[in-house]
Amino acid sequence: MKSDSIKTGTQQAPHRSLLNALGYTEEEQKRPLIGIVNSYNEIVPGHMNLDKITEAVKLGVAMAGGTPVVFPAIAVCDGIAMGHIGMKYSLATREIIADSTECMAQAHGFDGLVCIPNCDKNVPGLLMAAARVNIPTIFVSGGPMLAGLVKGEKKSLSAMFEAVGSVAAGTMSEEDLTEMEEKTCPTCGSCSGMYTANSMNCLTEALGMGLRGNGTIPAVYSERIRLAKHAGMKIMELVERNIKPRDIMTEKAFINALTVDMALGCSTNSMLHLPAIAHEAGVDLNLDMANELSGKTPNLCHLAPAGPTFIEELNEAGGVYAVMKELTKLNLLDTNLITVSGQTVGENIQGALNKNTDVIKTAEAPYSVTGGIAVLRGNLAPDCSVVKQSAVVPEMMVHEGPARVFDCEEDAVAAITAGRIKAGDVVVIRYEGPKGGPGMREMLNPTSAIAGMGLGSSVALITDGRFSGASRGASIGHVSPEAAAGGPIALIEEGDIINIDIPGKKLQVRLSDEELAARKAMWQAREPQVTSGYLERYRKMVTSAARGAVLEVN
């Protein structure tokens, strides 16, 4: 056992004395030591129940003959961090989560890990750590929030942000806003639509790193506690069989996950996180794969904000495994891959049933024959840009309009809510990329303001930042190279004509190569917005969004 390095032999007597100081008995010390990464805190709604999940995991580990050892991971609530300096820190915490988990796992000789994340950066951060440390590991999340109920209609957080725009437009009263405020987020859990947290938790199932239901069983269901106990027991089997994350997270597993991503209509943030996780696993996940897979993968789900259904309904309809079972009808998944269940993908989904074809469309009658996400390129985005095409209204799939240029999110939101953005405009928000922000802020405030002002079917938004999974509409993010790196988005001027062709995978500005070159010659780099602390180190080390915004030593 790996933990023998801290508990077996004469040289380890000092180590055992410290284990004694922790209260571990001789019997406990002889068992495999299982690190339990607990992301619990009291500021993230998706994490407030993780103490209960952790206790269930501990019980499962102990029942199966292991010794559970809990240590923490930080977490940021993207909703609370939205729209101010806090959002600069959100994506950046992914690396802290991965690094700190690696440090704890390696320093203490754990034989296995159970990772308990829930919200946006914890899932990918812990998956990155799992691939890096490569000891037997299983994931069990805290589960999704139930949808709110306002005036008889189900609502989720994206509706709350859009309501702010509706108040600004005069189409909603302050009283109705207050009612929504009180009812939209009714329970603990990750916000109830197919936003980033739920996207990544569902994709953990598709990757093979979580048990069935990990992405969809609601946080408040007792079934979630039972799942956590089973995860605690299952890690002992993985340790015994020495099944490691890199045995599971192979190139073929990432292709499976991307395929399920397209079918579910996941958050565009998955196009940052899957490449970053793959990078840690030694897999090169080129974003060109996304368009290739999207071209042959049907979009089967329109979960909020793309449609009227929520994660709780996906769960009742059969969950991620039911979606995967539909995809096997078209031979789109490799079913021979091993997973944390100890069985193959095919064995896992053998008994899965699609119980509601209004929630999960069949492979024969999908929402669309192409997947939920598209990668666009062109002279405005030579490396990449990303759009959740399943959440774009038909009339905006192809759009041309004048650029309305802003150098930060706040200026754009002020213009939108003041009524200065008109139908047909293309809002450009730049210097919000990984280096330029720094931190690549999510743009839920401006996209929600556009929707709330009634412009969702006539105004596009383009940014070198990123979007919350709660964003909808013609919202094109991850434009690379970013403005801070001198990418073409830095050269756009007010009134330039932008051409968006989502079916054609094109993002262009109507300027000649000569004009772009002349502007580039005159361009001057903007002074960094942050010059101290963690974000300054992050800014110096972070790579392009096209590479998953991973860190490199320059």
Side-chain angles (χ1 to χ4, degrees):
M1 291 190 293
K2 187 176 181 182
S3 61
D4 286 345
S5 62
I6 68 166
K7 64 185 188 184
T8 301
T10 303
Q11 291 296 319
Q12 280 64 45
H15 306 67
R16 290 194 296 273
S17 71
L18 292 168
L19 293 174
N20 289 335
L22 288 163
Y24 289 117
T25 65
E26 182 179 355
E27 293 82 0
E28 287 174 303
Q29 292 182 39
K30 288 180 178 178
R31 296 174 177 179
L33 297 184
I34 306 300
I36 299 175
V37 193
N38 178 12
S39 303
Y40 169 80
N41 64 43
E42 295 182 342
I43 190 62
V44 183
H47 289 224
M48 64 178 287
N49 65 320
L50 297 191
D51 55 343
K52 295 178 177 60
I53 301 296
T54 298
E55 289 304 312
V57 169
K58 287 175 65 179
L59 185 57
V61 169
M63 284 193 296
T67 297
V69 184
V70 178
F71 63 91
I74 65 167
V76 163
C77 176
D78 277 27
I80 295 174
M82 194 72 65
H84 57 94
I85 191 174
M87 184 47 72
K88 292 180 183 289
Y89 285 88
S90 174
L91 179 61
T93 65
R94 186 185 72 181
E95 318 310 312
I96 296 176
I97 293 160
D99 291 350
S100 59
T101 302
E102 174 197 357
C103 291
M104 290 294 290
Q106 298 287 39
H108 299 104
F110 293 124
D111 298 300
L113 293 174
V114 181
C115 294
I116 307 176
N118 210 30
C119 290
D120 293 23
K121 308 309 167 299
N122 287 77
V123 186
L126 289 176
L127 283 166
M128 289 165 68
R132 194 184 298 173
V133 175
N134 201 35
I135 59 175
T137 303
I138 192 170
F139 278 65
V140 56
S141 77
M145 183 183 292
L146 295 177
L149 193 63
V150 183
K151 299 186 187 303
E153 292 186 10
K154 284 189 173 183
K155 298 288 183 183
S156 59
L157 185 65
S158 55
M160 195 69 245
F161 277 90
E162 291 176 13
V164 175
S166 297
V167 171
T171 58
M172 178 180 284
S173 69
E174 292 279 358
E175 291 75 17
D176 284 345
L177 180 68
T178 299
E179 182 181 1
M180 285 190 66
E181 188 179 321
E182 293 170 348
K183 296 180 178 179
T184 296
C185 297
T187 70
C188 62
S190 48
C191 297
S192 56
M194 187 53 82
Y195 309 149
T196 305
N198 290 326
S199 294
M200 293 310 302
N201 280 320
C202 287
L203 294 181
T204 300
E205 285 190 59
L207 265 177
M209 290 297 293
L211 297 175
R212 180 176 188 168
N214 180 66
T216 60
I217 298 169
V220 295
Y221 284 13
S222 296
E223 186 181 358
R224 174 67 55 179
I225 300 297
R226 297 197 297 273
L227 178 71
K229 291 176 183 176
H230 284 135
M233 290 186 275
K234 185 60 68 173
I235 188 60
M236 299 307 298
E237 178 186 333
L238 296 175
V239 169
E240 182 179 350
R241 295 175 61 183
N242 199 30
I243 297 174
K244 300 175 182 177
R246 290 195 184 192
D247 300 325
I248 295 169
M249 290 193 284
T250 62
E251 182 177 2
K252 291 179 179 179
F254 281 102
I255 292 172
N256 274 1
L258 268 174
T259 301
V260 175
D261 187 328
M262 297 301 167
L264 284 171
C266 289
S267 164
T268 53
N269 281 313
S270 64
M271 295 296 101
L272 280 175
H273 299 321
L274 287 175
I277 300 160
H279 175 75
E280 297 291 352
V283 174
D284 181 17
L285 196 64
N286 191 306
L287 286 184
D288 288 328
M289 291 182 185
N291 282 344
E292 179 186 345
L293 293 171
S294 182
K296 60 184 180 182
T297 303
N299 179 225
L300 303 181
C301 299
H302 271 192
L303 297 148
T309 53
F310 298 84
I311 301 297
E312 63 201 67
E313 288 153 320
L314 175 61
N315 186 63
E316 295 303 317
V320 176
Y321 279 14
V323 174
M324 294 174 73
K325 188 69 174 290
E326 289 289 345
L327 294 174
T328 60
K329 295 179 182 177
L330 303 175
N331 295 316
L332 291 175
L333 297 179
D334 189 327
T335 58
N336 296 314
L337 307 180
I338 193 67
T339 72
V340 291
S341 71
Q343 298 181 304
T344 65
V345 170
E347 290 169 328
N348 285 345
I349 67 175
Q350 186 173 13
L353 295 174
N354 184 351
K355 302 174 185 176
N356 188 339
T357 56
D358 290 331
V359 176
I360 304 171
K361 296 294 185 182
T362 64
E364 298 83 5
Y367 280 107
S368 67
V369 294
T370 55
I373 290 176
V375 175
L376 314 184
R377 288 189 174 87
N379 68 348
L380 183 49
D383 290 346
C384 83
S385 64
V386 178
V387 63
K388 186 173 180 176
Q389 61 183 354
S390 60
V392 179
V393 294
E395 55 265 39
M396 290 298 291
M397 294 294 282
V398 177
H399 180 75
E400 181 176 279
R404 304 297 307 279
V405 184
F406 304 92
D407 285 348
C408 68
E409 175 190 0
E410 288 83 356
D411 290 350
V413 171
I416 296 164
T417 55
R420 299 202 303 272
I421 303 301
K422 306 301 180 185
D425 286 347
V426 179
V427 176
V428 177
I429 305 177
R430 62 193 180 190
Y431 294 102
E432 291 283 11
K435 288 184 181 293
M440 202 179 182
R441 288 196 288 179
E442 287 187 344
M443 300 289 155
L444 182 55
N445 273 354
T447 58
S448 298
I450 287 169
M453 296 289 285
L455 298 171
S457 61
S458 61
V459 169
L461 195 155
I462 296 171
T463 181
D464 55 5
R466 60 196 177 92
F467 294 109
S468 165
S471 292
R472 62 187 176 99
S475 304
I476 301 168
H478 306 200
V479 172
S480 302
E482 62 175 293
I489 192 172
L491 312 177
I492 303 302
E493 296 178 359
E494 190 83 4
D496 286 345
I497 300 302
I498 307 292
N499 295 295
I500 300 166
D501 181 359
I502 295 173
K505 310 296 187 289
K506 293 290 185 183
L507 181 61
Q508 302 272 137
V509 56
R510 197 191 295 169
L511 294 172
S512 66
D513 291 345
E514 292 76 15
E515 174 63 19
L516 283 170
R519 291 187 186 183
K520 181 63 180 287
M522 298 295 292
W523 176 77
Q524 293 185 331
R526 193 181 189 216
E527 287 297 315
Q529 300 300 291
V530 176
T531 58
S532 64
Y534 174 62
L535 285 181
E536 169 65 358
R537 299 198 302 276
Y538 182 86
R539 179 184 69 81
K540 289 178 177 178
M541 296 175 68
V542 71
T543 62
S544 167
R547 297 180 54 200
V550 297
L551 301 188
E552 279 186 351
V553 178
N554 296 324

